[in-house]
Amino acid sequence: MKAPSGEDYSAENTPQLTPELALANLQSSDLSLRYYAAWWLGKFRVNRPEVVQALIAALEDEADRTEMGGYPLRRNAARALGKLSDVSAVPSLIKCLECSDFYVREAAAQSLQKLGDKTAAPALIKMLDGGLGQAVQVPGRPHLTQPYEAVIEALGAIGATEAISLISPFLGHEIPGVQCAASRAMYQLTEDSSYGDRLVKMLSSDDLKLRRLVLADLGAIGYMPAAEAIAIAKVENSFKLMALKGLLEHQLTPELDALSVSDHAIQVMNLMDGLL
């Protein structure tokens, strides 16, 4: 039942759940049922107080442990909590940033980004200790010492301007994904267009995965000057549409008159129409 990513399940070989059954399974002695239930509750946004509390409790699970010392259930629970929009999970997710499992720390940082609570800033900033000198690959593992992309993106999303001087050096990290995260966050924290332009330039990369990542970043920050570049990027239309949707959402803010649509919004909608 488990998928390597913890996110990909086939409808053909997974059980049909209800919120009540998923909550019960989350507290089952069967680790596979617990693992799947945590994913399911997040996937279907079952935002109930009892669900949030059960997922928070799962963040301290010791039973589901891999041979390499990972905590699969904790990972799924952390991911799920980020989808439920309940800030009561923030303190427990902050505690997860100290977990020995890299992927639990990554999932926690990603969820803190989604929850947008600035109280997480000090703990996230602490993960940047040592700067580029510490941001190296762990011997024998496919990841760096910390989930820098997730941490930096979270700091940008929550508006942690106090982290600007710590994030800036990561623009020069050897891994393009970390550079993207730093550019994204620096734009969010400074509104300096040069950081958005850095992302646009990366759309010319020969790496398709990187181009997809850049599109996601441009959409996340709503960088309007990138609209045309997004529309002609050498990436599948589905990725371009998602990025343009991000730009459009930044243009259609609740503060705007519901009857008025900006020229920028019209431009983005026309570009989206051309891709459909």
Side-chain angles (χ1 to χ4, degrees), residues 201-213:
K201 289 178 181 178
M202 296 180 81
L203 283 176
S204 62
S205 168
D206 293 331
D207 186 337
L208 175 60
K209 290 183 178 180
L210 179 59
R211 297 198 300 271
R212 291 171 177 167
L213 178 62

Side-chain angles (χ1 to χ4, degrees), residues 52-130:
V52 172
Q53 290 307 308
L55 288 168
I56 288 174
L59 294 177
E60 298 187 2
D61 172 75
E62 290 288 348
D64 195 5
R65 196 85 187 267
T66 69
E67 293 182 0
M68 297 291 289
Y71 291 94
L73 176 58
R74 292 191 192 186
R75 299 173 192 173
N76 267 9
R79 293 187 189 105
L81 286 166
K83 299 174 182 177
L84 301 187
S85 304
D86 191 326
V87 295
S88 67
V90 168
S92 296
L93 288 169
I94 290 174
K95 184 177 179 181
C96 282
L97 296 177
E98 299 179 357
C99 182
S100 59
D101 183 342
F102 171 92
Y103 298 105
V104 171
R105 300 197 302 274
E106 180 180 56
Q110 290 168 340
S111 288
L112 288 167
Q113 173 193 338
K114 292 176 182 176
L115 293 174
D117 193 318
K118 200 169 182 179
T119 60
L124 289 164
I125 288 172
K126 188 174 186 300
M127 298 178 77
L128 301 183
D129 282 353

Side-chain angles (χ1 to χ4, degrees), residues 91-220:
S92 296
L93 288 169
I94 290 174
K95 184 177 179 181
C96 282
L97 296 177
E98 299 179 357
C99 182
S100 59
D101 183 342
F102 171 92
Y103 298 105
V104 171
R105 300 197 302 274
E106 180 180 56
Q110 290 168 340
S111 288
L112 288 167
Q113 173 193 338
K114 292 176 182 176
L115 293 174
D117 193 318
K118 200 169 182 179
T119 60
L124 289 164
I125 288 172
K126 188 174 186 300
M127 298 178 77
L128 301 183
D129 282 353
L132 287 180
Q134 291 296 318
V136 297
Q137 187 164 335
V138 177
R141 304 302 293 268
H143 56 70
L144 302 176
T145 52
Q146 292 287 11
Y148 291 101
E149 291 180 46
V151 169
I152 291 170
E153 288 179 5
L155 288 167
I158 65 177
T161 53
E162 65 270 34
I164 288 175
S165 63
L166 298 175
I167 294 172
S168 180
F170 286 88
L171 293 166
H173 195 276
E174 63 180 357
I175 295 179
V178 177
Q179 295 176 29
C180 286
S183 296
R184 167 175 167 165
M186 290 296 288
Y187 177 77
Q188 290 172 311
L189 298 175
T190 68
E191 297 187 351
D192 184 335
S193 62
S194 67
Y195 298 112
D197 292 340
R198 287 175 66 102
L199 287 170
V200 173
K201 289 178 181 178
M202 296 180 81
L203 283 176
S204 62
S205 168
D206 293 331
D207 186 337
L208 175 60
K209 290 183 178 180
L210 179 59
R211 297 198 300 271
R212 291 171 177 167
L213 178 62
V214 171
L215 287 184
D217 287 334
L218 289 168

